[in-house]
Amino acid sequence: MNELTNVTDKLVFKPAEISFDDSDIKRNLVELKSKYGDLVVSESNLKDSKRTATMLNGIANELDNARKSVKKEYNKPLKEFEGKVNDVRDEVRDLRQNIVDQVGVFEEKEKMKRKDAILTEIREEIAPNYNISDDELEKISSEFKPDWWTKKTYPKKQRLEEIATLFAQFNKEKEQRKNNLQLIKLKLDSYDMADHYQSIKYDYIDNEMSIDDVLEKIDRLHEDIETKKAIEQAKVEEVKENLVEHNGQSYNQETGEKVQIMQEITFTLQGSKEDIDQVAMLISKLGLKVLGKPERKEIVVND
């Protein structure tokens, strides 16, 4: 049902009639073609040819001006009609847009309500059944389908099945990560490289390095460490070969410098404050040199 009166009921349109007898003009055109159609411009008729071109241009302009004048008058009622119709049309469209905008806002609110309800259901009712923590749920949420709440008719059964599949896959991957971390720890322990665990774990978890690449990296790292140790030991052995003893002191027989062969050990102590204080006093008493800045911190140890 139209709320406004039908436009055609109020429109009175009579097609304009334009009368134009072009017989004389066409007859004159035949004469012009006959007179100038085969004109060949030469040095002798150059000036007359230019005047002829100017004259012909004047005729063309006169015809074109007549066309424009008639067209202007012919279009006046059309422009007036279009202006009136367009004004009303634009206001009707503004009314429509106001409704469309409100519909959009309402539907967006409804969608957000559905989303909140679904996410609450997942967090409070479904995730606990799969031992999914809130932090883990936050990670998994990037894989949730927007269709779950954007489409009113999305089947709940299908949504629940898809959620269950996501959670089951996540738990499977979590268990695999746990096993892989244990494998990493065992491999590092076998190489006596436990102090590299955190950096290797970062590569595996945060940098998403595959377990095969991680294990290969551990092997390479171990080889590098062993190679470095071998090089350093070779340097020490080379120095030892050049040592000579004199009055209980060792000297480099090539440079004459006094040389001492000492040992360096790196480890982390754990104990009570009193125990650590006693160790520090003993180190000082023995005159042992502490390399680097020692870091002391408190930790919690559960018996």
Side-chain angles (χ1 to χ4, degrees):
M1 176 180 179
N2 292 330
E3 297 293 339
L4 294 178
T5 303
N6 195 307
V7 174
T8 56
D9 292 343
K10 296 295 183 180
L11 176 63
V12 178
F13 173 61
K14 295 180 180 180
E17 180 180 348
I18 299 177
S19 178
F20 178 48
D21 184 359
D22 62 347
S23 56
D24 289 343
I25 291 178
K26 286 187 175 180
R27 187 167 49 254
N28 291 336
L29 177 61
V30 172
E31 294 177 359
L32 289 173
K33 284 184 175 181
S34 174
K35 186 174 181 180
Y36 300 112
D38 297 326
L39 176 64
V40 177
V41 178
S42 63
E43 184 177 356
S44 61
N45 67 3
L46 180 60
K47 289 184 178 180
D48 288 339
S49 296
K50 289 182 177 180
R51 281 194 292 271
T52 298
T54 300
M55 179 269 294
L56 292 174
N57 186 56
I59 294 174
N61 286 340
E62 183 178 356
L63 289 168
D64 200 40
N65 289 336
R67 177 190 64 78
K68 290 179 181 178
S69 177
V70 171
K71 182 179 179 181
K72 181 178 180 181
E73 292 300 316
Y74 186 90
N75 283 339
K76 274 185 178 180
L78 174 62
K79 289 184 177 179
E80 291 177 2
F81 167 71
E82 287 181 335
K84 292 177 180 179
V85 171
N86 289 346
D87 287 345
V88 178
R89 177 205 64 194
D90 291 344
E91 291 195 37
V92 172
R93 285 179 174 173
D94 288 342
L95 290 173
R96 171 194 173 275
Q97 191 60 47
N98 178 52
I99 296 172
V100 169
D101 291 343
Q102 291 187 61
V103 168
V105 171
F106 178 82
E107 289 183 339
E108 183 65 21
K109 288 181 178 179
E110 291 298 301
K111 181 178 69 176
M112 288 300 100
K113 286 181 181 178
R114 291 194 298 273
K115 180 179 180 180
D116 290 342
I118 290 172
L119 293 181
T120 298
E121 178 188 38
I122 294 173
R123 184 177 63 256
E124 296 181 357
E125 300 178 23
I126 305 176
N129 295 331
Y130 291 85
N131 295 318
I132 302 292
S133 68
D134 287 344
D135 289 340
E136 292 172 335
L137 185 61
E138 183 67 25
K139 295 178 182 178
I140 304 174
S141 64
S142 61
E143 300 182 42
F144 289 171
K145 286 185 177 181
D147 287 352
W148 292 348
W149 49 82
T150 56
K151 294 184 178 180
K152 295 180 181 179
T153 57
Y154 201 90
K156 181 176 181 179
K157 180 181 178 182
Q158 182 179 348
R159 184 183 76 240
L160 294 177
E161 290 175 352
E162 290 169 347
I163 294 171
T165 299
L166 279 177
F167 286 175
Q169 180 63 28
F170 179 83
N171 281 335
K172 181 179 178 182
E173 293 173 356
K174 182 169 66 173
E175 184 64 24
Q176 186 62 55
R177 283 194 299 272
K178 179 181 177 181
N179 293 336
N180 287 342
L181 287 173
Q182 184 64 25
L183 180 61
I184 289 171
K185 188 176 186 303
L186 290 173
K187 191 172 187 68
L188 287 171
D189 288 344
S190 70
Y191 284 149
D192 195 21
M193 293 168 52
D195 54 326
H196 289 81
Y197 177 73
Q198 290 301 327
S199 63
I200 296 297
K201 178 182 177 182
Y202 182 86
D203 284 336
Y204 175 58
I205 300 297
D206 296 281
N207 290 339
E208 299 181 351
M209 187 181 290
S210 71
I211 184 61
D212 290 337
D213 289 341
V214 168
L215 296 177
E216 183 180 346
K217 180 176 181 177
I218 294 174
D219 288 334
R220 292 198 308 269
L221 183 59
H222 176 255
E223 290 175 4
D224 292 343
I225 292 173
E226 292 302 310
T227 300
K228 184 178 179 181
K229 287 180 180 179
I231 292 173
E232 292 176 348
Q233 186 60 39
K235 291 179 180 179
V236 172
E237 295 301 326
E238 183 180 356
V239 171
K240 284 182 176 181
E241 291 178 0
N242 288 325
L243 293 181
V244 294
E245 295 290 333
H246 181 68
N247 295 332
Q249 298 291 334
S250 298
Y251 296 88
N252 187 315
Q253 60 182 348
E254 294 182 357
T255 65
E257 293 178 319
K258 184 178 178 181
V259 177
Q260 286 183 291
I261 302 298
M262 307 183 74
Q263 292 189 356
E264 181 179 306
I265 183 170
T266 302
F267 56 85
T268 301
L269 291 175
Q270 180 177 306
S272 67
K273 180 180 181 304
E274 292 75 14
D275 291 340
I276 298 299
D277 287 342
Q278 288 186 27
V279 171
M281 290 175 62
L282 179 59
I283 290 174
S284 177
K285 183 177 180 180
L286 292 174
L288 299 177
K289 188 175 182 180
V290 178
L291 304 178
K293 183 179 179 181
E295 179 183 356
R296 186 188 293 206
K297 61 182 179 181
E298 291 183 327
I299 62 171
V300 176
V301 178
N302 296 319
D303 293 333

